Amino acid sequence: MNYKELIQNGATLIDVRSEMEFDEGHIENAINIPVNDIQARIQEVKDINSPIVLCCLSRGRAGVAKALIEAAGVKEVYNAGGWQSLL
């Protein structure tokens, strides 16, 4: 899966790192929803009308977020791993 291409073609990028980590560096146009906030903001995520690409520092938190989002019924969710791999 080419995550960069998916994002270029309209997928929404959600960075699930902490706000502090996000502020230290992130990909332009990424949405920051820390993994600990996913459940509280699940309706916001469900309202996204495009594929969702998740990133974090290394893949772990994005994996947790992916499971939570899929459990809420969202079908097209991808774990792209570390955010720097998308630069």
Side-chain angles (χ1 to χ4, degrees):
M1 177 64 62
N2 185 331
Y3 300 114
K4 288 181 188 180
E5 187 176 306
L6 197 60
I7 294 164
Q8 289 170 351
N9 290 331
T12 299
L13 177 62
I14 300 178
D15 188 324
V16 298
R17 295 177 298 146
S18 71
E19 185 177 336
M20 187 171 76
E21 288 173 295
F22 186 81
D23 288 345
E24 289 174 358
H26 62 271
I27 295 174
E28 186 176 353
N29 298 321
I31 299 169
N32 181 222
I33 304 178
V35 68
N36 294 337
D37 295 345
I38 290 289
Q39 288 184 305
R41 295 175 64 182
I42 198 64
Q43 191 59 52
E44 177 183 344
V45 175
K46 289 173 74 173
D47 288 344
I48 294 171
N49 291 317
S50 67
I52 296 172
V53 176
L54 302 169
C55 68
C56 58
L57 185 61
S58 64
R59 185 172 285 273
R61 287 176 280 181
V64 171
K66 181 178 187 290
L68 293 169
I69 293 167
E70 287 176 333
V74 178
K75 303 266 187 244
E76 201 168 357
V77 185
Y78 303 94
N79 180 349
W83 71 277
Q84 291 183 325
S85 70
L86 298 172
L87 291 175

